[in-house]
Amino acid sequence: MPETEQLPDGWEKRTSRSTGMSYYLNVHTKESQWDQPTEPAKKSGGSGGAGDNPDEVQCLHLLVKHKGSRRPSSWREENITRTKEEAQMLLEVYRHKIVNNEATFEELARSYSDCSSAKRGGDLGKFGRGQMQAPFEKAAFGLNVGQMSGIVDTDSGVHIILRKS
């Protein structure tokens, strides 16, 4: 083996403090492996699929609050009195309209979302792990680009999410 190992782009060779053995670190994802890499490191693990393990995603969402929500008021309604079941039924109707091309996600979010992101068509922009409530994050990072979630329940209310990138 040559004195200076040539590693593919995006990899660093490190030494384990516990074993003293060499390992390889993907500088983009911070994932490590024992085997010497043969290909350049992936920056986010893939092409935008659910298994790609990105550092951040961009999503649209449509939030419907209910009386059990953390803060049962919004720009649309000062005092939200609907039940969680009613909120879920509304989301099912909105999801059906999107799937059947009767309306776009953005149109429905602008008109009906209880989040202030409604004015941007539900666009939350890019966000990383640890920035959203756990159920929302799990759903958002589990979607493929262009895929819409089922109903996601958080302390804020119930959501549908569309991953953009």
Side-chain angles (χ1 to χ4, degrees):
M1 204 185 305
E3 279 183 34
T4 311
E5 241 175 296
Q6 281 297 91
L7 293 174
D9 287 344
W11 291 99
E12 288 180 2
K13 184 176 182 178
R14 301 235 175 136
T15 303
S16 168
R17 288 188 203 124
S18 59
T19 67
M21 294 175 54
S22 295
Y23 69 94
Y24 301 90
L25 179 76
N26 176 324
V27 298
H28 306 295
T29 65
K30 306 299 183 213
E31 292 176 355
S32 61
Q33 63 186 47
W34 294 109
D35 297 325
Q36 183 173 344
T38 57
E39 296 181 7
K42 294 180 179 175
K43 292 189 177 174
S44 65
S47 61
D52 68 354
N53 198 25
D55 293 329
E56 60 181 20
V57 293
Q58 179 182 0
C59 293
L60 308 180
H61 83 130
L62 197 162
L63 167 66
V64 179
K65 291 185 174 188
H66 51 81
K67 63 184 177 185
S69 296
R70 177 174 52 191
R71 198 178 62 81
S73 65
S74 75
W75 67 274
R76 296 181 60 239
E77 261 179 287
E78 190 174 327
N79 185 24
I80 295 172
T81 59
R82 75 179 68 88
T83 66
K84 184 176 182 177
E85 292 73 24
E86 290 169 331
Q88 290 171 329
M89 286 181 3
L90 285 171
L91 274 185
E92 288 293 347
V93 170
Y94 302 150
R95 197 172 191 292
H96 178 82
K97 287 183 178 195
I98 295 163
V99 168
N100 291 303
N101 295 314
E102 296 170 25
T104 67
F105 196 104
E106 292 88 340
E107 289 168 344
L108 293 175
R110 256 188 211 95
S111 299
Y112 302 112
S113 182
D114 285 316
C115 180
S116 60
S117 68
K119 62 182 170 263
R120 297 182 304 278
D123 194 345
L124 295 169
K126 290 192 175 201
F127 56 89
R129 295 182 186 277
Q131 292 183 268
M132 300 291 177
Q133 293 176 50
F136 190 97
E137 176 182 307
K138 183 178 179 185
F141 279 85
L143 295 170
N144 291 319
V145 173
Q147 184 180 14
M148 185 172 40
S149 72
I151 293 176
V152 178
D153 187 5
T154 71
D155 291 344
S156 298
V158 290
H159 316 249
I160 51 174
I161 305 166
L162 177 65
R163 182 170 165 195
K164 296 297 281 184
S165 69

